[in-house]
Amino acid sequence: MAATNSNPCRIEIVGGDITRLEVDAVVNAANPTLAGGGGVDGAIHAAAGPGLLEECLGLGGCPTGSAKVTGGYDLPARFVIHAVGPIWRGGAGNEEALLASCYRNSLSLAVEHGARTVAFPAISCGVYGFPIVRAAEIAVAEVAAFLETSAEIDLVLMVGFGEETRSALETALASLTGTSGPE
Ligand code: APR
């Protein structure tokens, strides 16, 4: 199916380690200090090498819901977009809107930097405890909405690291595109 502005099939759900993906930009699930951490943050820093942390430490941090760009260093990706997701505290603290803005802001930065292929982890779905099914719905809806308005992104890979997350992403995409869900 040809990729068109209104065609969310410019979204693909994949599994595996995001650090190995050959895309223009990899999105990191960072924290406000941008000083690294565990989870996908730790994996990206380990794969990118020390230059990534050095650049991050010069950025002055990043507020929740926002994102900042660095080089990709030893990663296959040219850029790392460090998005800071919300910590899930029950849902009354604007967590859903903050999570949505992570995806929107990351894609805006990708366009600004000429990155046409972008890979996202499931932001906030690990240490930050966001309910995975709801997070997947928000993530897919936000990415699809952005792609409807932008022809500058060719492909967004959404990485489900582990079966539960991958299945949630596939189900969210299937219900958005009206196709059958994961087998
Ligand atoms: N590739 C792709 N996805 C991964 C990888 C990887 N190598 N490693 C972990 N993940 C997945 C997790 O399984 C989860 O689905 O990334 C998603 C986000 O989980 P976390 O990395 O724990 O991030 P988050 O929940 O947003 O918490 C952010 O954790 O690592 C710290 O510094 C980080 O303080 C910040 C917090």
Side-chain angles (χ1 to χ4, degrees), residues 15-20 28-33 35-44 83-87 120-130 132 159-162 165:
D17 179 355
I18 200 169
T19 66
R20 298 177 183 281
N28 182 20
N31 63 62
T33 69
V40 72
D41 199 359
I44 286 173
V84 179
I87 296 172
F120 281 96
I123 300 170
S124 288
C125 289
V127 166
Y128 279 5
F130 208 108
I132 290 172
V159 183
F161 195 68
T165 308

Side-chain angles (χ1 to χ4, degrees), residues 100-151:
S101 67
C102 282
Y103 287 90
R104 197 167 51 250
N105 290 332
S106 296
L107 288 171
S108 299
L109 282 173
V111 168
E112 272 173 46
H113 287 75
R116 300 193 65 90
T117 55
V118 182
F120 281 96
I123 300 170
S124 288
C125 289
V127 166
Y128 279 5
F130 208 108
I132 290 172
V133 170
R134 186 66 191 119
E137 290 165 351
I138 292 166
V140 167
E142 204 60 37
V143 169
F146 189 95
L147 293 180
E148 292 220 343
T149 65
S150 166

Side-chain angles (χ1 to χ4, degrees), residues 10-59:
R10 286 184 284 158
I11 302 173
E12 270 179 37
I13 310 301
V14 297
D17 179 355
I18 200 169
T19 66
R20 298 177 183 281
L21 294 177
E22 311 253 339
V23 290
D24 294 336
V26 160
V27 178
N28 182 20
N31 63 62
T33 69
L34 298 184
V40 72
D41 199 359
I44 286 173
H45 276 277
L52 180 62
L53 181 60
E54 210 172 300
E55 185 176 355
C56 282
L57 293 178
L59 294 177

Side-chain angles (χ1 to χ4, degrees), residues 166-177:
R166 181 170 184 163
S167 173
L169 287 165
E170 285 172 344
T171 302
L173 183 61
S175 61
L176 190 90
T177 55

